[in-house]
Amino acid sequence: MQDWYQTAFELIDMRSFSNLWYWIALAVLWSTSSHWVIGVPFDMITRARRFGGEAEADLHDIVRVNVNRILYIMDTAGIWIIAIGCFGLTVLALLGFAYGVEFAQAVFFLTAPMGLLTWLSVRTAKKIRDADGAGLHQKLQMHRFLTQVLGMVSIFVTAFWGMWQNMTLGVL
């Protein structure tokens, strides 16, 4: 029994993937991302569905504001945001996977799924604007579900890669 505990604690040291703070940051990142659906807190969506009335009107207002904000940013600076984001991800990928910099790998595993989530948010914002408020709850719920699926896949891949790094780099 003691060997199992010793092995588990030897896997946790102060490098990127074996640093407890990295895993806490990853959990907070995905928890926050799934709570804020297109900039709207999920409890507001639930309250609007449950009680309607003023809560529903508030939801429609805040969704309209956030959808307009997201689409305005994409219309005015979308190409630049995509170009800079792709450049940054490419630099991280090259540093991390071609040159073996573990910190770059760790940051890549945090930021690459966020790029996909940004694309998903823009796509959902366009669908909401095109539907003019029809089926709002379903669209927001689907966006949250897809965010959670993306988060689970991201955490799984990051954990798999991190444990593989820890085991192959001689931490044991």
Side-chain angles (χ1 to χ4, degrees):
M1 188 66 150
Q2 182 64 21
D3 292 335
W4 183 85
Y5 287 119
Q6 184 177 359
T7 303
F9 286 115
E10 284 178 355
L11 283 173
I12 302 171
D13 70 31
M14 296 311 290
R15 295 175 315 129
S16 295
F17 290 113
S18 55
N19 188 332
L20 179 62
W21 292 106
Y22 177 78
W23 296 104
I24 290 172
L26 183 67
V28 168
L29 176 75
W30 283 109
S31 175
T32 304
S33 296
S34 83
H35 177 70
W36 290 90
V37 181
I38 308 181
V40 179
F42 189 70
D43 60 294
M44 186 176 199
I45 299 167
T46 305
R47 188 176 31 223
R49 186 180 323 136
R50 193 173 294 155
F51 299 116
E54 187 177 343
E56 184 75 24
D58 289 346
L59 175 67
H60 280 273
D61 290 341
I62 198 165
V63 167
R64 180 185 48 78
V65 167
N66 284 326
V67 163
N68 289 340
R69 180 182 60 84
I70 289 169
L71 295 178
Y72 174 77
I73 289 169
M74 289 312 293
D75 287 342
T76 58
I79 296 296
W80 285 104
I81 292 170
I82 292 169
I84 292 169
C86 288
F87 174 77
L89 286 174
T90 302
V91 167
L92 286 172
L94 286 174
L95 284 173
F97 302 106
Y99 292 105
V101 178
E102 185 177 326
F103 182 74
Q105 292 173 3
V107 174
F108 179 83
F109 280 117
L110 289 173
T111 56
M114 287 296 113
L116 293 174
L117 183 59
T118 301
W119 170 77
L120 182 64
S121 295
V122 171
R123 183 175 148 257
T124 303
K126 285 181 180 179
K127 284 183 176 183
I128 290 171
R129 183 189 59 190
D130 292 345
D132 198 29
L136 180 63
H137 292 285
Q138 292 81 14
K139 288 176 180 56
L140 294 173
Q141 185 68 37
M142 181 55 75
H143 179 78
R144 183 171 194 243
F145 174 74
L146 292 174
T147 299
Q148 290 173 333
V149 168
L150 180 61
M152 287 188 305
V153 170
S154 172
I155 290 169
F156 175 78
V157 170
T158 303
F160 184 78
W161 182 263
M163 285 290 99
W164 184 75
Q165 286 291 99
N166 289 339
M167 294 173 82
T168 58
L169 292 177
V171 175
L172 289 174

